[in-house]
Amino acid sequence: MTARGAAGRCPPTTWLGPRLLLTCLLVSTSVTEAVPEYCSHLIRDGHLTILQQLIDSQMQTSCKIPFEFVDQNQLNDRVCYLKKAFLLVQDIMEDTLRFKDNTPNANATMQLQELSIRLKSCFTKDDEEQDKACVRTFTETPLQLLEKIKNVFNETKNLLTNDWKVFSKNCSDSFAKCSSHGHGRQHVQHSDPQLPGFVFHLLVPSIILVLLAVGGLLFYRWKRRSHRELQTVDSPMEQPEDSPLTQDGERQVELPV
């Protein structure tokens, strides 16, 4: 049913009062925006095919990239999980998924970005202070990242097909639980993998320098001690110039033969 049919025909503006005219326009606008079928058919099979083609065109590599995504261990509610993941997917497509201009992959990414913009009206906003709740940094290959994105679009499509209002659910409470219980684990997961490497690169050179300094000191003391011992051994062998033995020798030389 069109907005005009749902709201009724507005009376002619020649005799319509200003307040009644404004009310009629507001009702017509609200009915136009609240089209029940609007979100249910936005994501089509063609969009999932585009994502699959992006996945198939990726080179198999061990190189990994960091990106922020929803931590399923912290967020069990599937609707809230997809609601949070959808916002993160938008950021990933804008900042991480970059291809050479005018290539099939670049054009495919642009189509998905346009789809995400249209889908925004299907998701209600929650508390902005919880934007980072239930989120942690993943380090995976581009192939794994694209598979995550495809799963988000696929599950979002299925839920919207069954209930176009499904993402109007308020997830503030779920995100708040994530912030209170899971945020600490998030920081641990961020820092723990980097801590051993940081400690290794910091401590090993320091230990080597200390060992070299101690070794040099010990060698210097050993060298000095050896030098003193040699002086002690050689000193009794040397006779002073004024010793009695030297004087007797001189006297013996002076005696006539």
Side-chain angles (χ1 to χ4, degrees), residues 81-96:
Y81 168 82
L82 292 173
K83 196 172 182 181
K84 174 72 69 173
F86 173 76
L87 297 176
L88 295 173
V89 165
Q90 287 183 314
D91 296 336
I92 290 173
M93 288 192 297
E94 292 177 1
D95 302 331
T96 306

Side-chain angles (χ1 to χ4, degrees), residues 39-79:
C39 296
S40 60
H41 60 271
L42 274 181
I43 304 178
R44 301 181 179 275
D45 293 336
H47 296 115
L48 301 180
T49 302
I50 291 175
L51 279 165
Q52 188 59 49
Q53 290 173 351
L54 279 175
I55 294 173
D56 295 338
S57 65
Q58 296 302 305
M59 180 178 64
Q60 292 184 351
T61 176
S62 59
C63 297
K64 296 182 179 181
I65 55 177
F67 59 92
E68 290 188 341
F69 209 75
V70 190
D71 188 359
Q72 295 189 31
N73 296 327
Q74 299 185 46
L75 192 58
N76 297 324
D77 191 306
R78 204 60 190 168
V79 173

Side-chain angles (χ1 to χ4, degrees), residues 234-246:
D234 295 340
S235 59
M237 301 300 295
E238 297 177 356
Q239 298 296 334
E241 293 180 356
D242 297 334
S243 63
L245 182 59
T246 304

Side-chain angles (χ1 to χ4, degrees), residues 190-221:
H190 278 229
S191 58
D192 282 349
Q194 301 176 358
L195 184 60
F198 173 76
V199 172
F200 177 82
H201 290 91
L202 179 64
L203 291 183
V204 170
S206 302
I207 293 173
I208 293 175
L209 290 176
V210 171
L211 291 176
L212 290 174
V214 172
L217 180 62
L218 292 176
F219 178 77
Y220 171 77
R221 294 183 64 181

